[in-house]
Amino acid sequence: MAKTVRPEKQYALKKWWNQKYLQFMVIPGIIWMLLFNYVPMGGIVIAFKKFKITRPIADAPWVGLQYFKEFFQDSNFSDIMINTLGISLLKLFIGFPLPIIFALLINEIRGTRFKKISQTISYLPHFLSWVVLGGILTTWLAKDGVINDFFVTVGLLKEPVSFLGQPKYFWGMALITDTWKELGWSAIIYLAAISGVDQQIYEAATVDGASKLQKILFITLPSITGTIALMLILQISGLLNSNFDQILILKNQINVSRSQVIDTYVYQVGMTMGKYSYATAVGLFKAVIALMLLLIANKSSKKLLGRSLY
Amino acid sequence: MSKITTSKIKRSKGTILFDTINTLIMLIICFLCVYPIWYVLVNSFNDAKDAMMGGIYWWPRVFSVENYKTVFEDSSVLRAFKITIGKTILGTGLNVFFTAMVAYPLSKQNLAGRKFYMAMGTITMFFSGGLIPTFLLFKNLNLLNNFLVYIIPAAFNFFNLLIFINFFREIPASLEESAKIDGANDWRIFIKVILPLSKPVLATIALFAGVGQWNDYFGGLMYMTNRVDLEPIQTYLYRMVAQVQSNQVAGSISASNITAGDTTSTSIKLAAMVITTLPICCVYPFLQKYFVKGMMVGAVKE
């Protein structure tokens, strides 16, 4: 027996045994991941099978791409895709730069105390749940809500508008409420990056007579490009993730034509209508595109900026 | 004002203008972040029937603690709170300990199979089975309508693991070596040396995991198919919000305001929202210095 074991293999086993405590600590984590991450990945096969909840997956007959075809021919397909992409692109083009600007501005505050307080306060909404915020928003955005009261009093609106009761406002509401919740939190990473910039560069620039704006544009921004690129890759790879919680809570029967996104559709079709195979196919379609987007974004960032996720 | 000499340098007009506008912007943002909570707070302390007329923005018009009394007397709300507290404590504790335990060996470069383990975990960050296969797995594991569904699937988190790994690497190796010479094995080193030195990162992950548990409504919505008594408070609130939403659509907002004694469904909702939100508002400012670091470490991994 011992003859057949190659020396390297023997060495590996020995090394493993020498680390037995460490290995025993890591193995429960691997088992957890196999069970809770990899078993559901295997469960994706039901997208290609006619699965009924009363029988095991193995017994379900294969149907190939039938459910994918069904989704592409679904009368809701174009609405769902447009909403998913529309809301995400809006968040990408407008929601992405705002935290950077916020971080730059907060960095320019002179009083350390005021700086710290405003920073702390800006994180607050991040820690509130979408359910609580949803409770506030649905009352505020109603016709007799605070927002309408304010805009009518100030004169920006002639008469109250039902913001969540009209499809055309939904994308805007999704963008504004998300920005409101996450602005301060998203800025943390940029602030941390800014604080790592060498102070001497600023001093040198001050001596050379650079203005505040010049310092921001030519020192701070270039110094944090790496972080910005990283966050951009992550954002692009999540382009089809249009914040499930937020949309599920703000969505209603009337605005559904502009608020239904892939994630909420999967939930609705799968959980409330029990079409498991169909919902899994829709979810898989999303996951595959998301993965492709990630790979593309990562590759282009590697090429353009020499920085990548992996 | 300040003793720092730079303030004596004369600021240009442009700089003064910039600073003023900047301060104003910050004040507006701070107001927008705090006001929602204030609004809920003052309305929850207002008499319910009076509050139905609206217009309470800055201070309660008719002060009353009746809403809170009703909430604390309602056994179903109280039970939902207990579930939330229970799952937050258990879930957070387990997540922090278990994730740290797995992260410690992976922070060592010479661990056999390390690359394979890390690759396995990284894949989970970018690809998952999705909603339905996960639901079916939980069903097969008998986790549906089971309190453990809040705890076990949330016991581990790969992103948090990366934060732990980065932190553990900063701990000087000499500390572990000296413990080893004294005869401690890796497990003992982890418990007696590493964990006590890792309080900042433990606090960070505890906050992330704790807020996640506290704010989660979806677990209760998805996996409690016939055990309403195991629902957390956020799921309870979600149902109330969804109810108001559908009533608004039906055009009968006032009809949603079911009056019961001196309270309305809305006023009870407001009081429950305050009680749900308050613990988080109290905790996070104290943990701030930790999690800012933690976020950064997590983002710049490797």
Side-chain angles (χ1 to χ4, degrees):
Chain A
M1 272 287 276
K3 261 186 216 163
T4 53
V5 179
R6 287 210 207 126
E8 312 96 71
K9 216 169 191 179
Q10 217 170 10
Y11 171 73
L13 277 172
K14 203 172 171 192
K15 187 183 175 194
W16 196 93
W17 187 248
N18 282 339
Q19 300 174 332
K20 58 182 179 292
Y21 286 102
L22 293 174
Q23 294 289 351
F24 285 134
M25 284 161 84
V26 82
I27 280 169
I30 304 301
I31 293 172
W32 188 97
M33 283 200 280
L34 281 174
L35 183 59
F36 288 107
N37 291 130
Y38 285 89
V39 170
M41 283 185 211
I44 283 173
V45 293
I46 68 167
F48 307 97
K49 285 182 149 202
K50 200 179 169 126
F51 171 73
K52 286 237 169 70
I53 194 135
T54 45
R55 270 189 284 153
I57 294 175
D59 293 351
W62 292 94
V63 292
L65 298 175
Q66 186 198 318
Y67 292 111
F68 292 89
K69 276 184 210 146
E70 225 173 273
F71 177 50
F72 300 144
Q73 285 157 5
D74 192 316
S75 59
N76 296 316
F77 177 77
S78 61
D79 264 358
I80 294 168
M81 288 311 289
I82 289 171
N83 292 337
T84 309
L85 284 171
I87 293 171
S88 295
L89 287 174
L90 212 57
K91 283 181 182 171
L92 181 68
F93 284 115
I94 303 174
F96 184 76
L98 285 176
I100 303 173
I101 297 169
F102 178 66
L104 292 172
L105 286 181
I106 213 165
N107 188 51
E108 296 298 330
I109 292 179
R110 293 159 58 83
T112 17
R113 213 177 160 156
F114 180 54
K115 191 171 173 175
K116 213 158 173 210
I117 292 172
S118 17
Q119 220 177 318
T120 309
I121 290 176
S122 71
Y123 306 150
L124 182 62
H126 171 80
F127 289 97
L128 307 183
S129 71
W130 269 117
V131 174
V132 167
L133 286 182
I136 299 172
L137 288 171
T138 43
T139 22
W140 279 17
L141 294 172
K143 259 189 162 168
D144 54 356
V146 175
I147 308 283
N148 272 308
D149 276 4
F150 176 76
F151 281 135
V152 172
T153 319
V154 177
L156 281 168
L157 277 179
K158 277 201 183 109
E159 46 187 68
V161 174
S162 175
F163 290 106
L164 291 174
Q166 279 189 49
K168 61 177 175 183
Y169 293 124
F170 192 84
W171 289 12
M173 290 301 118
L175 172 72
I176 292 168
T177 55
D178 184 57
T179 304
W180 173 51
K181 188 173 192 288
E182 304 297 347
L183 182 75
W185 184 255
S186 318
I188 291 183
I189 278 178
Y190 304 115
L191 273 167
I194 291 171
S195 70
V197 182
D198 190 352
Q199 286 303 311
Q200 286 184 347
I201 305 175
Y202 291 107
E203 279 158 29
T206 317
V207 172
D208 289 345
S211 74
K212 220 162 199 177
L213 194 69
Q214 282 171 322
K215 280 187 233 171
I216 293 175
L217 287 178
F218 300 119
I219 303 173
T220 316
L221 261 183
S223 310
I224 61 170
T225 344
T227 310
I228 295 175
L230 202 77
M231 299 313 287
L232 197 61
I233 301 173
L234 287 172
Q235 178 100 2
I236 290 172
S237 69
L239 207 59
L240 300 190
N241 284 336
S242 10
N243 200 342
F244 178 75
D245 292 327
Q246 177 198 17
I247 291 175
L248 188 68
I249 282 159
L250 297 181
K251 182 171 82 93
N252 60 38
Q253 291 300 315
I254 293 183
N255 65 28
V256 69
S257 62
R258 278 287 155 262
S259 61
Q260 187 82 288
V261 292
I262 296 179
D263 284 332
T264 52
Y265 188 64
V266 169
Y267 173 67
Q268 189 180 314
V269 181
M271 296 317 297
T272 57
M273 291 151 83
K275 292 161 90 176
Y276 294 108
S277 286
Y278 181 69
T280 307
V282 177
L284 179 59
F285 167 75
K286 191 198 99 160
V288 169
I289 294 187
L291 203 62
M292 275 164 28
L293 284 171
L294 175 75
L295 295 176
I296 294 169
N298 198 46
K299 193 142 205 180
S300 19
S301 157
K302 212 183 235 170
K303 256 199 181 142
L304 294 172
L305 297 158
R307 187 140 184 193
S308 66
L309 217 56
Y310 45 83
Chain B
M1 282 240 300
S2 73
K3 281 176 206 156
I4 307 162
T5 43
T6 47
S7 64
K8 283 183 189 153
I9 297 171
K10 221 179 169 190
R11 290 191 288 160
S12 72
K13 263 187 187 160
T15 313
I16 294 171
L17 185 71
F18 177 90
D19 284 340
T20 319
I21 292 172
N22 195 10
T23 309
L24 254 164
I25 292 173
M26 288 305 145
L27 286 174
I28 292 170
I29 289 175
C30 287
F31 171 76
L32 290 175
C33 290
V34 173
Y35 184 67
I37 297 177
W38 184 250
Y39 176 87
V40 176
L41 199 68
V42 293
N43 274 278
S44 72
F45 276 111
N46 198 81
D47 179 75
K49 278 170 193 153
D50 174 69
M52 277 167 73
M53 291 187 291
I56 299 160
Y57 299 133
W58 307 111
W59 205 249
R61 196 161 43 212
V62 184
F63 185 85
S64 155
V65 289
E66 210 53 46
N67 302 322
Y68 288 91
K69 268 192 196 159
T70 315
V71 168
F72 284 116
E73 276 162 12
D74 183 342
S75 62
S76 63
V77 181
L78 225 50
R79 191 181 52 210
F81 262 116
K82 278 184 198 153
I83 296 286
T84 303
I85 293 169
K87 88 187 183 94
T88 302
I89 293 173
L90 285 174
T92 307
L94 188 66
N95 179 293
V96 171
F97 182 77
F98 190 64
T99 310
M101 183 187 86
V102 180
Y104 177 60
L106 290 172
S107 70
K108 306 207 164 303
Q109 283 298 343
N110 66 349
L111 184 85
R114 180 179 171 277
K115 272 204 166 142
F116 173 74
Y117 298 148
M118 291 303 285
M120 220 182 123
T122 310
I123 290 171
T124 67
M125 290 224 299
F126 300 112
F127 195 76
S128 79
L131 195 70
I132 308 297
T134 308
F135 176 81
L136 295 175
L137 171 73
F138 289 0
K139 186 175 177 289
N140 288 332
L141 293 174
N142 278 324
L143 283 171
L144 296 191
N145 299 310
N146 183 340
F147 180 75
L148 291 176
V149 77
Y150 301 132
I151 314 291
I152 297 174
F156 182 80
N157 182 310
F158 193 74
F159 182 77
N160 293 351
L161 180 113
L162 293 175
I163 298 180
F164 271 126
I165 288 181
N166 278 294
F167 187 90
F168 291 154
R169 282 208 182 124
E170 305 282 306
I171 296 176
S174 54
L175 284 168
E176 297 168 57
E177 278 156 22
S178 71
K180 213 153 215 174
I181 291 164
D182 290 342
N185 62 39
D186 292 304
W187 175 250
R188 276 185 72 88
I189 294 172
F190 171 65
I191 301 283
K192 299 272 181 189
V193 180
I194 302 297
L195 282 186
L197 286 172
S198 309
K199 277 174 198 143
V201 72
L202 292 172
T204 309
I205 306 298
L207 179 76
F208 288 171
V211 170
Q213 279 281 359
W214 188 266
N215 281 345
D216 175 59
Y217 70 99
F218 198 62
L221 191 65
M222 248 322 245
Y223 307 125
M224 293 305 148
T225 49
N226 55 25
R227 286 292 297 274
V228 183
D229 57 316
L230 285 178
E231 268 181 9
I233 189 74
Q234 300 279 356
T235 311
Y236 181 90
L237 279 176
Y238 172 78
R239 288 193 198 289
M240 285 185 117
V241 172
Q243 185 62 39
V244 173
Q245 269 276 62
S246 59
N247 282 339
Q248 268 177 353
V249 169
S252 58
I253 174 74
S254 46
S256 78
N257 241 330
I258 304 142
T259 358
D262 292 326
T263 55
T264 62
S265 57
T266 304
S267 66
I268 295 171
K269 185 179 84 184
L270 289 169
M273 274 156 72
V274 171
I275 306 167
T276 316
T277 308
L278 225 49
I280 289 177
C281 295
C282 295
V283 171
Y284 93 97
F286 298 103
L287 294 170
Q288 180 182 340
K289 60 177 175 196
Y290 299 131
F291 71 66
V292 170
K293 238 184 180 171
M295 278 276 286
M296 192 58 194
V297 169
V300 210
K301 56 182 188 258
E302 317 253 329

